[in-house]
Each structure stands twice: as C-alpha cells, then as structure tokens.
Amino acid sequence: MHAFCKTCENCQKVDTGQKILLYNSRLHLFLEKLRSRWSGPFIVKHVYPYRTLDIENPKNNNVFKVNGHHLKTYFDNFPSENEFIGLNDPVDKG
C-alpha cells in the first residue's frame, strides 16, 4: 500500500493554500507513547522544486521552509454519518 501511495500523483500533489500536517521527528525522544508525532494543520504558501515548501502556521502567521517528505495531507471536512436509534422505538416484528 505504501509503494502504491508513493506512485500516485494525487497522493503526492501539494498545492498552495492546501492544509497539511508536519511530522515532528524530535518528539520520539519523550517517553509519552500516546502523543502524536504529527502537528498542524499548516497552510502551504509556496511550493519549490524537489518537494521543498514554505508553510504557514495559522495561529501566529510564522512562515518557514520544510522538506516535503515530512508532510501529509490534512482532511478536515469528513461527512458525518451519525445514525440515531432511540431506545423507546418499537422493534419491528413483521
């Protein structure tokens, strides 16, 4: 699966204005195993050749350059499929 995603153009494509997550490689030094190594979301400001990007932190508007290999796409608009079943509903016996 990993090899397929690396060859998929849609998975590897990064555009300006896109939200992404940044991999924090220094976080593994701590003993907190439940802490996520992905931070963000950040916004892509400029894409350079060879997968180098300028990203912006929306909290404080800091812009910095990162290696594109330490990024993954951030999806924030998932459709919610919540189904409500009341406990007082009669059971269909037919």
Side-chain angles (χ1 to χ4, degrees):
M1 187 67 167
H2 180 71
F4 173 75
C5 288
K6 289 295 179 186
T7 60
C8 177
E9 290 182 21
N10 291 334
C11 297
Q12 302 302 311
K13 185 177 175 183
V14 178
D15 293 325
T16 57
Q18 182 178 359
K19 290 185 179 180
I20 49 137
L21 296 174
L22 177 65
Y23 183 76
N24 189 351
S25 60
R26 294 183 184 201
L27 196 57
H28 71 276
L29 297 175
F30 301 110
L31 297 175
E32 301 173 17
K33 296 203 179 232
L34 297 177
R35 194 166 177 188
S36 176
R37 292 185 183 186
W38 294 96
S39 59
F42 297 97
I43 300 171
V44 177
K45 286 298 179 185
H46 188 269
V47 180
Y48 297 101
Y50 306 108
R51 292 193 46 99
T52 304
L53 301 124
D54 282 340
I55 62 174
E56 177 186 14
N57 186 351
K59 295 177 184 173
N60 55 13
N61 296 330
N62 286 343
V63 177
F64 49 97
K65 192 176 287 191
V66 295
N67 183 353
H69 297 285
H70 293 173
L71 304 174
K72 71 178 177 179
T73 305
Y74 175 76
F75 299 104
D76 59 340
N77 292 329
F78 283 113
S80 62
E81 298 179 5
N82 296 334
E83 182 178 338
F84 177 75
I85 300 174
L87 296 177
N88 295 333
D89 291 344
V91 178
D92 185 18
K93 296 182 182 181

